[in-house]
């Protein structure tokens, strides 16, 4: 079943529902999916900005430094 077919089925079924509380529950589900996606993108972009600021300040480890730290952890 394609996405378009599924959407059409859902639209038809939703149009048949007269229960306001049920429709509100469906609305909540749909809006929470959209809001979760937007929140994730905002958090992701903020984390990228913070990481870029840390790099500009010199707060990072080189690849070799990370490898050396891993070797030290293995010895413990």
């Amino acid at each position: 079943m394609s996405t378009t077919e599924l959407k059409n089925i859902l639209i038809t079924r939703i149009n048949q529902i007269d229960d306001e509380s049920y429709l509100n529950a469906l609305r909540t589900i749909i809006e929470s999916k959209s809001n979760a996606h937007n929140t994730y993108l905002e958090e992701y972009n903020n984390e990228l900005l913070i990481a870029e600021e840390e790099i500009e300040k010199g707060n990072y480890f080189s690849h070799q430094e990370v490898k050396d730290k891993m070797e030290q952890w293995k010895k413990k």
Side-chain angles (χ1 to χ4, degrees):
M1 178 180 306
S2 73
T3 303
T4 303
E5 291 171 323
L6 183 56
K7 285 180 181 180
N8 288 332
I9 290 169
L10 291 172
I11 289 168
T12 301
R13 297 296 300 268
I14 290 169
N15 283 330
Q16 296 170 352
I17 298 170
D18 290 326
D19 183 342
E20 186 177 348
S21 63
Y22 192 82
L23 291 169
N24 279 323
L26 289 172
R27 180 177 159 200
T28 300
I29 292 169
I30 292 167
E31 287 177 352
S32 69
K33 173 67 176 166
S34 176
N35 291 339
H37 179 70
N38 290 339
T39 300
Y40 169 77
L41 286 177
E42 287 175 26
E43 289 177 7
Y44 178 77
N45 287 331
N46 285 336
E47 289 176 10
L48 285 177
L49 289 174
I50 291 168
E52 288 173 348
E53 290 172 1
E54 291 298 313
I55 290 168
E56 287 176 7
K57 292 177 187 175
N59 295 333
Y60 60 88
F61 295 103
S62 70
H63 181 71
Q64 187 60 47
E65 289 172 319
V66 172
K67 287 174 65 175
D68 292 344
K69 285 184 180 290
M70 288 173 53
E71 289 302 319
Q72 290 174 3
W73 294 336
K74 288 179 185 178
K75 293 176 183 177
K76 290 183 179 182

